[in-house]
Amino acid sequence: MSSTLPRPLARLGVLVLALLTALAAAVALASSASAHVTVSSGDAAPGGFGKLTFRVPNESDTASTVALRVSIPEEAAMASLRYEAEPGWTVTMTTTDLQTPLENHGEQVTSYVSVVEFRAADGGGIRPGEFAEFALSGGPFPEVDQVTFPTVQTYSDGTEAAWIEPTVEGQAEPERPAPVLTLGGGTSGSDGAAEPADGASGDTVSSDTTQTDTAASATESADAGSSTGTVALVLSIVAVLLGLGGVALGWRAGRRTVGT
């Protein structure tokens, strides 16, 4: 007697394998949909001043996030940039000379803050299952619609997650997209409403954004990640249902083949 499986059953095995592979990919997408480092602002506008909030989820199951290094490219250089003090974290700001000086209140600015690094105290950091937010305040922002901030996340086990890949319109999102800030129609720095008092960069300042604004930003980001995860979950369920239908049909075909 031949040990070769009937053709319908062989096809059934291939179908089940494909189903399991698709399901695993969909579950992975759902679990990572909201795990990106992101940046948002409620008041940043082209040519104006505003507050930037970097949301940093911890992706590791065993290690804590102990450092976050945010790079500001020269095309996004700001004459004034400050950080919000975060308990348990120290901040280092690196300045770089500008090839083209900036104008700020009639004065030329020849250097800018190009790197901001947040580092946790020993034993601290963002533990598995947690996230944290880090804020910067500055301007004026460039006269563009979007600004990209390549960011590197460092873990306590020495590994790094480099969020530096560009997002290209019309193409699939990269695995490690760099945080992108969309500049909206917030308050401009021309009237002094959102501008730091002395216009200096690299000083520590406290946030002037209300808790309501922060909660709204958090809800918006969470909803976005949840929506992507929901889509992936729905696709997974559809794949399972289709697969179960294929299994049933294949099983019935196999029985008819064996019976004949």
Side-chain angles (χ1 to χ4, degrees):
M1 176 181 295
S2 173
S3 60
T4 303
L5 289 175
R7 182 173 297 178
L9 291 182
R11 290 177 179 176
L12 175 61
V14 174
L15 175 63
V16 171
L17 179 60
L19 171 63
L20 293 176
T21 301
L23 181 59
V27 170
L29 173 62
S31 64
S32 63
S34 59
H36 297 169
V37 173
T38 59
V39 60
S40 61
S41 176
D43 56 0
F49 287 75
K51 176 185 176 181
L52 311 179
T53 301
F54 289 84
R55 172 168 294 184
V56 184
N58 189 77
E59 291 185 311
S60 174
D61 294 329
T62 58
S64 297
T65 295
V66 294
L68 185 75
R69 187 167 67 253
V70 179
S71 297
I72 299 110
E74 185 161 346
E75 58 267 25
M78 289 170 274
S80 172
L81 188 64
R82 304 181 180 192
Y83 61 87
E84 181 178 43
E86 192 71 29
W89 295 77
T90 58
V91 182
T92 302
M93 306 184 85
T94 302
T95 59
T96 300
D97 291 337
L98 286 164
Q99 295 184 4
T100 303
L102 297 174
E103 290 285 341
N104 187 43
H105 294 300
E107 296 184 359
Q108 280 198 339
V109 178
T110 59
S111 63
Y112 79 107
V113 176
S114 58
V115 179
V116 181
E117 182 174 15
F118 299 86
R119 184 164 293 276
D122 291 343
I126 309 169
R127 295 189 295 269
E130 299 181 344
F131 77 93
E133 293 182 334
F134 304 90
L136 301 174
S137 176
F141 291 97
E143 297 284 352
V144 295
D145 295 330
Q146 292 184 328
V147 178
T148 300
F149 297 97
T151 301
V152 177
Q153 181 179 10
T154 303
Y155 288 91
S156 56
D157 60 3
T159 60
E160 290 186 337
W163 303 96
I164 59 175
E165 298 179 74
T167 299
V168 180
E169 186 176 357
Q171 296 184 13
E173 183 182 71
E175 182 180 0
R176 298 286 185 185
V180 177
L181 173 68
T182 299
L183 298 176
T187 303
S188 172
S190 60
D191 60 5
E195 182 180 359
D198 58 8
S201 63
D203 297 328
T204 303
V205 293
S206 60
S207 170
D208 57 0
T209 303
T210 64
Q211 293 181 354
T212 302
D213 293 335
T214 302
S217 174
T219 302
E220 181 180 351
S221 297
D223 288 345
S226 177
S227 298
T228 306
T230 300
V231 171
L233 182 59
V234 170
L235 292 177
S236 301
I237 294 174
V238 171
V240 170
L241 294 177
L242 291 175
L244 289 177
V247 168
L249 291 175
W251 180 73
R252 292 179 62 183
R255 290 191 62 184
R256 287 198 299 268
T257 302
V258 173
T260 58

